[in-house]
Amino acid sequence: MSEPILLGLSGSLRQSATNRKLLREAARLFDPASFVEADLNLPLYDGDLEEGEGIPTGVQTLSDQIGQADAIIVSTPEYNKGPSGVLKNALDWVSRTQGNPWANKPVAVMSAAAGRAGGERAQMILRAYMVPFQPRILQGPEIHLANSSNEFDEQGKLTSERYEKMLHTLMQKLRAEIGI
């Protein structure tokens, strides 16, 4: 196999979000791979928009990226005890594209949040959201990065050996899922 394509989806749009940092750390530990960070800054799903204009270009790009990826990592913040609307909106839009790019795709789910549970509820709900798409979601180790704004150094590297070790194990399991 040539260098695998690893796609990252962050449920936060902020460039400096801890969920983006967590994805980048996961990609570093997964390495080597061609890492692509998806753009989830999409219009809100609207059936009238879809009917009138079709699938937006950004949505089709995301769907194509999912289909082309060898493995996917998804990181969500926890907003009001659930995943972000940004992430749910992206899932809803992709469900409207042709085929099912998620089918049988190896996926690792993680979360980074300000609270002490590290987004555990958001991650549980996200896993349920993904059931209709039938990906191969890894069951662990679960990464719930609590107090996430204090878990990265200035370069965006995890400072906790415990979290880094768990994330490394998760990425090794993801590599094994794609046969490398």
Side-chain angles (χ1 to χ4, degrees):
M1 172 184 246
S2 61
E3 190 170 79
I5 298 171
L6 179 64
L7 180 65
L9 279 70
S10 171
S12 179
L13 296 177
R14 289 183 317 119
Q15 288 301 311
S16 63
T18 56
N19 280 280
R20 287 184 182 274
K21 291 177 183 179
L22 185 56
L23 287 177
R24 292 172 189 148
E25 277 290 87
R28 179 181 68 81
L29 296 170
F30 184 92
D31 199 45
S34 175
F35 178 60
V36 177
E37 209 169 313
D39 181 2
L40 302 189
N41 195 359
L42 306 170
L44 290 175
Y45 175 75
D46 178 349
D48 290 339
L49 174 66
E50 179 185 9
E51 187 177 307
E53 299 177 28
I55 300 294
T57 302
V59 172
Q60 190 59 57
T61 297
L62 175 59
S63 181
D64 293 344
Q65 288 173 325
I66 293 167
Q68 294 164 1
D70 295 298
I72 301 172
I73 49 179
V74 182
S75 189
T76 185
E78 185 168 290
Y79 297 153
N80 301 307
K81 309 227 182 277
S84 70
V86 166
L87 192 50
K88 178 67 166 89
N89 184 58
L91 294 173
D92 289 343
W93 263 120
V94 170
S95 75
R96 306 299 298 166
T97 63
Q98 291 295 312
N100 178 7
W102 288 103
N104 208 33
K105 193 70 63 172
V107 177
V109 175
M110 57 196 76
S111 53
R116 67 179 179 242
E120 185 174 14
R121 287 184 185 171
Q123 194 176 131
M124 180 185 69
I125 294 167
L126 174 60
R127 289 171 182 272
Y129 284 167
M130 296 187 77
V131 167
F133 306 124
Q134 300 177 355
R136 295 189 334 252
I137 300 176
L138 299 182
Q139 296 308 306
E142 293 181 341
I143 309 295
H144 307 115
L145 191 63
N147 192 25
S148 63
S149 63
N150 293 315
E151 292 296 336
F152 297 92
D153 65 19
E154 290 83 31
Q155 289 74 41
K157 191 167 187 303
L158 281 168
T159 57
S160 166
E161 287 181 31
R162 180 177 65 100
Y163 280 132
E164 185 173 2
K165 183 178 178 183
M166 288 173 30
L167 187 57
H168 181 265
T169 300
L170 181 62
M171 291 302 97
Q172 293 307 303
K173 287 180 72 175
L174 188 58
R175 288 180 68 80
E177 272 298 303
I178 63 172
I180 58 171

